Amino acid sequence: MTRIGIIGSGFGAIAVAVELKRAGHTDLRLWERSDDLGGVWRDNTYPGAGCDVPSPLYSFSFEPNSQWTRRYALQKEIHAYIRSVADKHGVSPLVRFGAEVVAAAWDDDAAQWSVTFADQTVETVDVLVSAVGQLSRPRLPDIEGVESFGGTSFHSAEWDHSFDATGQRVAVVGAGASAVQFIPHLAKDAAELVVFQRSANYLMPKPDKPYTAFHRGLFKALPFSQRLERGGIWTIMEQFARGLDATSKVGRVNKAIAMRHLHRQVTDPTLRAKLTPDYPIGCKRILFSNEFYPALAQPNVDVVTRGITRVTPTGVVDDAGVEHEVDAIVYGTGFDSQDFLESIDITGANGQKLATQWTDGAHAYLGMYVPGFPNLFVTYGPNTNLGGGSIIYMLEAQARHMRQAVDRLEAGSYRSVAVTEEAEQAYDRELTQKLDDSVWGSCDNWYRHPSGRITSNWPGATLPFAKATKVLDPDAFTWA
Ligand code: NAP
């Protein structure tokens, strides 16, 4: 029986674990550095945290949830859903908590991975699956004085729930997907809220609605009805993802919707101008909210579009030299998305380091397999993030492909599998061409490595990825 170790316990890890378990690969263990499972849905507990992909689609195809309370579920409910799936499929007992992987080394003779943890203990497995995700390391901005601030300050992914914004002067740095969700909550309570917005985002209305007892009863009694909704949402999102280039018809329609939303919700021309993006739609993640613009239009809220020169013990200084004195600073400044597996010291065959292989940005065959790194499978790896659509759909496709790899290892009594250089390079050439034609090169975003390579996103809709990963091509790999 193949011994399989999975790093992480978020959606990606659970997808792989369930897929392998259902196929009879039961010698599984998951390592979680924290004390609970759930990945980003465990960590991001900021007020208003939720998913901007509708829940019938942002869930496993094999585990529809008839009991979502609303179309766009909030964090608590999504986290509970992950836990329930892990419990139902017997994955929860396989998770070892407080187990932070710091290094992994391939042993060619033994054909196994030696995995080292922060407490210096070591475990060995035949197959190592990384499911650490792309957004698990919060990033504070590289601004002078961040550490010197004397009031309360924290990152959105490490929300300080003892902090009460009532009557306080609060600064928010960032206006991305997370900030758009928590700013309306801060704006309600804070005496003054200063939002430092470096770039405006395209914001679309969010067609959210509560699911009534009738809906939930219907979904439960007739699961097909929920499948129908899932299918409808998927179809719309596929078109949305296809439209992520500035010149496409869908892109133009999306832009018109976003601009109409802005005009309807913000009447002040100065604020409107600040909130109008100056780059092609889709280059940064398109956001969805009905509450963000009205929150910014409140009299206690100020949107500062000037840059930040430094943080002082008492506030934030903008590049016009104005100091905005505040009691608290919340950083909605995103994640070290280009890190991929850099925080783990991974050594493959012949002593080669994954970090060295990825110096100019991460790349992998189908986003999952790296030449020279046998029996290493990466889920939510390079170029598998989406500009639009459900990442869970992508994770399931990856899990199915990895399961086929393990099936074949066992069926052929092979000890190792590694993608060939040729297969990875050919895949990468085609991918790079598509990425060159994408909209993501036309502005600053977290999808790009400093080398210029777009490392995060899959170009286009999700169906082509599901097709590309449906049947494992044995010739793309060396089986030994
Ligand atoms: P983000 O989208 O990367 O946004 C970071 C924000 O901080 C941006 O507004 C950025 O400005 C700003 N920023 C960064 N460094 C700065 C600096 N030195 N000075 C001033 N501003 C600075 O991060 P996020 O909002 O945490 O979201 C990250 C990703 O998580 C999203 O793209 C999405 O994939 C995921 N997410 C998803 C959901 C969901 O509903 N599905 C919700 C939250 C997050 P610039 O734009 O100018 O760089």
Side-chain angles (χ1 to χ4, degrees):
M1 177 88 61
T2 311
R3 297 167 301 159
I4 302 157
I6 303 175
I7 314 173
S9 69
F11 263 118
I14 306 296
V16 176
V18 172
E19 177 72 25
L20 290 170
K21 224 168 157 270
R22 287 166 120 196
H25 305 295
T26 51
D27 192 344
L28 280 171
R29 68 227 69 194
L30 287 80
W31 299 303
E32 170 54 58
R33 66 181 172 186
S34 182
D35 58 0
D36 190 7
L37 54 77
V40 293
W41 294 108
R42 172 201 60 229
D43 293 342
N44 287 269
T45 60
Y46 57 77
C51 190
D52 60 12
V53 177
S55 297
L57 182 60
Y58 197 82
S59 42
F60 290 119
S61 61
F62 56 86
E63 242 1 293
N65 176 16
S66 62
Q67 300 307 301
W68 291 120
T69 59
R70 54 189 320 111
R71 184 178 280 152
Y72 291 86
L74 294 176
Q75 173 267 339
K76 264 202 175 79
E77 211 174 340
I78 299 171
H79 189 201
Y81 169 79
I82 303 177
R83 279 212 201 99
S84 74
V85 176
D87 286 347
K88 180 171 169 187
H89 290 268
V91 174
S92 303
L94 307 176
V95 186
R96 179 153 75 82
F97 294 105
E100 184 178 0
V101 175
V102 292
W106 173 250
D107 177 340
D108 229 350
D109 297 332
Q112 65 183 20
W113 282 96
S114 285
V115 180
T116 307
F117 297 86
D119 63 5
Q120 293 309 308
T121 54
V122 176
E123 282 190 47
T124 52
V125 287
D126 303 309
V127 167
L128 180 63
V129 180
S130 161
V132 302
Q134 297 189 13
L135 302 166
S136 59
R137 294 165 61 82
R139 185 167 53 87
L140 286 177
D142 192 12
I143 299 172
E144 183 195 324
V146 163
E147 300 305 326
S148 73
F149 184 64
T152 305
S153 68
F154 50 87
H155 187 278
S156 59
E158 294 164 342
W159 197 271
D160 178 352
H161 288 280
S162 68
F163 170 67
D164 179 4
T166 310
Q168 306 267 314
R169 298 165 305 169
V170 183
V172 170
V173 182
S178 302
V180 156
Q181 294 182 342
F182 66 73
I183 281 174
H185 293 263
L186 288 177
K188 251 188 267 164
D189 299 331
E192 290 169 33
L193 182 67
V194 192
V195 176
F196 290 90
Q197 176 203 265
R198 189 165 63 180
S199 317
N201 284 296
Y202 288 95
L203 192 80
M204 312 257 281
K206 191 171 176 181
D208 196 9
K209 64 165 191 185
Y211 285 129
T212 60
F214 170 77
H215 281 113
R216 295 202 293 275
L218 182 73
F219 291 157
K220 192 163 186 187
L222 296 172
F224 175 71
S225 60
Q226 199 177 23
R227 293 227 166 259
L228 207 63
E229 183 172 13
R230 178 182 164 97
I233 296 165
W234 179 78
T235 309
I236 292 167
M237 304 230 50
E238 286 294 89
Q239 297 317 313
F240 184 80
R242 282 202 182 91
L244 283 185
D245 71 74
T247 53
S248 77
K249 211 172 174 177
V250 182
R252 286 202 299 276
V253 172
N254 283 344
K255 184 169 176 177
I257 294 171
M259 288 300 103
R260 197 180 59 161
H261 191 42
L262 174 62
H263 278 247
R264 278 195 173 166
Q265 291 202 316
V266 179
T267 49
D268 170 17
T270 312
L271 182 57
R272 233 187 234 170
K274 286 181 179 176
L275 299 173
T276 304
D278 60 359
Y279 55 85
I281 190 162
C283 184
K284 289 175 191 281
R285 190 182 163 92
I286 297 172
L287 308 179
F288 295 83
S289 173
N290 304 327
E291 291 90 33
F292 181 61
Y293 286 150
L296 297 185
Q298 278 179 214
N300 61 330
V301 181
D302 188 15
V303 178
V304 175
T305 52
R306 293 186 291 273
I308 299 171
T309 39
R310 65 181 192 282
V311 173
T312 67
T314 50
V316 180
V317 180
D318 68 30
D319 64 14
V322 178
E323 176 166 7
H324 304 261
E325 285 197 2
V326 288
D327 306 303
I329 305 176
V330 180
Y331 293 101
T333 42
F335 299 85
D336 277 331
S337 56
Q338 290 306 319
D339 209 49
F340 285 95
L341 275 165
E342 225 175 82
S343 53
I344 302 176
D345 179 16
I346 296 193
T347 313
N350 306 318
Q352 57 188 314
K353 298 279 185 189
L354 188 59
T356 313
Q357 190 117 326
W358 284 355
T359 309
D360 291 328
H363 52 100
Y365 175 68
L366 299 171
M368 293 183 268
Y369 309 99
V370 188
F373 292 79
N375 293 11
L376 174 68
F377 306 167
V378 184
T379 186
Y380 195 18
N383 298 106
T384 59
N385 181 59
L386 298 174
S390 171
I391 194 64
I392 309 218
Y393 181 93
M394 298 287 278
L395 297 174
E396 278 189 54
Q398 291 160 39
R400 286 192 292 268
H401 198 274
M402 292 175 187
R403 189 253 307 145
Q404 292 176 55
V406 179
D407 282 349
R408 194 177 160 88
L409 274 174
E410 289 195 358
S413 298
Y414 300 113
R415 298 168 76 206
S416 71
V417 53
V419 69
T420 65
E421 290 271 3
E422 300 73 46
E424 201 271 329
Q425 280 170 11
Y427 175 80
D428 197 54
R429 267 196 300 278
E430 208 180 308
L431 183 82
T432 310
Q433 212 161 46
K434 287 189 191 141
L435 289 167
D436 285 346
D437 294 337
S438 76
V439 70
W440 299 308
S442 45
C443 74
D444 269 340
N445 52 43
W446 62 262
Y447 310 141
R448 237 187 11 235
H449 186 269
S451 68
R453 185 191 162 83
I454 293 155
T455 48
S456 300
N457 283 6
W458 167 252
T462 58
L463 186 62
F465 184 81
K467 281 187 177 159
T469 51
K470 191 162 190 241
V471 181
L472 179 145
D473 171 11
D475 296 337
F477 298 88
T478 305
W479 305 84

